[in-house]
Amino acid sequence: MNKKNVITDYIKIIIGTLLVAISLICFLVPHRIAPGGVSGIGTVLFHLFGLPVGMTMLVINVPLLIVGTKRLGGKFGIRTIVATVLLSTFTDIIKLPALTDSPILATIYGGLFMGAGLGIVLSGSATTGGTDLFAKLIHDSFPVVSMGIILFIIDFLVVLTAAIVFGPDEAFYAFICIFIVAKMID
């Protein structure tokens, strides 16, 4: 791979993680929409205990990054570590207000931003850690199943847990969000 392709991939990683962070900061976390995965767990823990979403995501991702780097290789692992650290950092340091008061609009915009961001990161030969890293590991073993479907199944379990904490309305919004994310990625 030439230097231009490497630079392009890292630009994709930066743009993609920024879009995912904006989806969390401006749409999902303020409306208690836990979009599955590590960010969903971070959202739940933020609302329960006030833990920073980005730092929580980073702590949960460390074991996944170790396994993922060993299994998927150094180049992919380094890019995923960069993406994971950027996403966690952006999520905690960028201070923006919620951009809508409507939970349904937050769900739609949050899903669109998150799905676009994750798709861009994946096109840069990386993941943001968490369930997309776990999904990538599964997809590499079973390539006939799309990344979007794998993410949807994994995230379903996290959203089910969040439903217990936040309630059925927020759970329904989260399911809509992860469906939108899956479609945007595919």
Side-chain angles (χ1 to χ4, degrees):
M1 177 173 274
N2 66 35
K3 189 175 182 177
K4 182 180 177 187
N5 290 342
V6 171
I7 292 169
T8 300
D9 284 349
Y10 277 99
I11 290 170
K12 289 178 182 179
I13 291 167
I14 293 166
I15 292 169
T17 55
L18 186 58
L19 288 173
V20 175
I22 289 169
S23 78
L24 292 168
I25 298 163
C26 297
F27 301 108
L28 303 176
V29 174
H31 288 278
R32 299 177 356 153
I33 300 168
V38 173
S39 61
I41 294 167
T43 301
V44 170
L45 294 176
F46 170 78
H47 285 287
L48 285 176
F49 306 112
L51 299 175
V53 176
M55 183 57 68
T56 302
M57 292 188 310
L58 189 60
V59 168
I60 293 170
N61 271 316
V62 168
L64 289 169
L65 291 170
I66 292 168
V67 172
T69 300
K70 286 181 181 177
R71 180 122 179 258
L72 298 172
K75 180 180 87 168
F76 183 84
I78 290 169
R79 290 172 189 216
T80 294
I81 290 168
V82 168
T84 301
V85 170
L86 281 175
L87 176 58
S88 297
T89 303
F90 287 158
T91 301
D92 283 350
I93 67 166
I94 295 173
K95 303 298 180 201
L96 294 170
L99 295 180
T100 181
D101 292 329
S102 166
I104 192 66
L105 289 177
T107 300
I108 294 167
Y109 287 127
L112 290 172
F113 272 76
M114 182 173 279
L118 291 174
I120 292 168
V121 169
L122 288 167
S123 75
S125 300
T127 75
T128 58
T131 54
D132 50 326
L133 174 56
F134 190 57
K136 173 80 171 136
L137 292 169
I138 293 171
H139 179 70
D140 285 356
S141 297
F142 303 98
V144 296
V145 182
S146 78
M147 283 286 294
I149 295 297
I150 295 167
L151 277 169
F152 185 83
I153 292 167
I154 296 168
D155 291 347
F156 175 85
L157 299 173
V158 175
V159 173
L160 190 60
T161 303
I164 296 167
V165 175
F166 295 144
D169 288 352
E170 288 83 356
F172 184 68
Y173 294 137
F175 284 126
I176 293 169
C177 182
I178 62 173
F179 178 79
I180 293 168
V181 168
K183 290 300 177 187
M184 288 296 293
I185 289 171
D186 283 346

